């Protein structure tokens, strides 16, 4: 039995994985999909001092508190920053890192370093510290790649503002053990907005693709679950 720990991206909540978790559990595995501080059932904790370090603490604390081992740690979008920091904190607990259409940082980088277009979000922050969810765009872009009206309404119901500090705080990746953890990169290859770039994947790291938009856990949950099960 593998333990999957699914970490949502900016603006989202743990509910975004609701279609994936049952599929992983039906295959005989455990799956955790917590909401990070400031989102979902923790939305009331949204504050200017919430940053990347807060979210790394959230996930590392869950791993240690639940005494989880042999974890497949999955980070979607911004959470690529989070899972990287968590892996640096508890590398001995992680058996596989999955970057799901995610930011993939190096030591000392911020989200702005990884994806420079994020600077525009920071510059336009409300009250200087929070970034509202991105607007829905015409198909095929939709809302984070989701275009079905019912799915868009469901997704919109779970979105919260993103603290600026999540985008400006650097990640710490100074433990050499992190580089020994196997990695899979899952790329969503349909409906990619302008200005969103993806770094080349280092040789030897596995790459998979899904023919859908950014929020593949909503639009292609079965296919995503199948790719995640490849790591178990």
């Amino acid at each position: 039995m593998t333990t999957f720990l699914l970490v949502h991206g900016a603006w989202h909540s743990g509910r975004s994985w609701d279609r994936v978790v049952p599929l992983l559990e039906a295959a005989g595995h455990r799956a955790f999909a917590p909401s990070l501080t400031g989102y979902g059932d923790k939305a009331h904790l949204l504050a200017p001092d919430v940053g990347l370090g807060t979210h790394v603490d959230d996930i590392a604390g869950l791993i240690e508190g639940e005494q989880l081992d042999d974890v497949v740690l999955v980070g979607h979008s911004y959470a690529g920053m989070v899972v990287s920091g968590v892996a640096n904190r508890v590398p001995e607990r992680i058996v596989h890192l999955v970057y799901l259409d995610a930011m993939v940082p190096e030591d000392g980088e911020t989200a702005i370093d990884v994806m420079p277009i994020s600077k525009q979000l920071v510059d336009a922050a409300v009250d200087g510290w929070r970034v509202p969810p991105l607007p829905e765009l015409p198909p095929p872009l939709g809302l984070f790649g989701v275009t079905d009206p019912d799915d868009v309404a469901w997704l919109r119901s779970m979105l919260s503002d993103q603290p600026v500090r999540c985008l400006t705080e650097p990640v710490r990746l100074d433990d050499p053990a992190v580089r020994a953890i196997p990695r899979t990169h899952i790329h969503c290859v349909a409906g990619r907005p302008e200005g969103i770039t993806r770094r080349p994947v280092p040789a030897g790291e596995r790459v998979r693709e899904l023919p859908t938009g950014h929020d593949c856990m909503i639009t292609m949950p079965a296919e995503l679950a199948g790719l995640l099960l490849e790591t178990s």
Side-chain angles (χ1 to χ4, degrees), residues 94-148:
I94 312 301
V95 295
H96 207 105
L97 276 172
V98 179
Y99 289 91
L100 179 57
D101 220 33
M103 298 180 180
V104 186
E106 298 295 337
D107 183 36
E109 288 190 320
T110 69
I112 294 174
D113 295 321
V114 179
M115 193 168 292
I117 198 173
S118 301
K119 180 67 163 54
Q120 297 178 21
L121 303 177
V122 171
D123 291 343
V126 177
D127 300 327
W129 70 269
R130 57 188 177 90
V131 181
L134 299 179
E136 183 178 357
L137 299 172
L141 298 178
L143 183 64
F144 298 103
V146 177
T147 56
D148 177 85

Side-chain angles (χ1 to χ4, degrees), residues 27-113:
H29 305 291
R30 289 198 298 173
F32 293 81
S35 290
L36 299 169
T37 296
Y39 310 93
D41 59 339
K42 301 175 184 175
H44 62 288
L45 300 175
L46 187 72
D49 62 349
V50 172
L52 175 60
T54 312
H55 295 157
V56 171
D57 288 344
D58 287 341
I59 301 304
L62 175 63
I63 291 172
E64 293 169 342
E66 296 287 340
Q67 297 184 339
L68 304 181
D69 288 303
D70 300 328
V71 174
V72 175
L73 186 57
V74 183
H76 176 239
S77 194
Y78 152 74
M81 304 289 295
V82 180
V83 300
S84 296
V86 172
N88 190 77
R89 184 86 59 84
V90 289
E92 72 282 358
R93 304 280 187 121
I94 312 301
V95 295
H96 207 105
L97 276 172
V98 179
Y99 289 91
L100 179 57
D101 220 33
M103 298 180 180
V104 186
E106 298 295 337
D107 183 36
E109 288 190 320
T110 69
I112 294 174
D113 295 321

Side-chain angles (χ1 to χ4, degrees), residues 197-210:
T197 56
R198 183 180 285 131
R199 290 178 166 179
V201 175
E205 297 184 8
R206 181 164 53 182
V207 179
R208 297 290 185 266
E209 293 185 347
L210 286 172

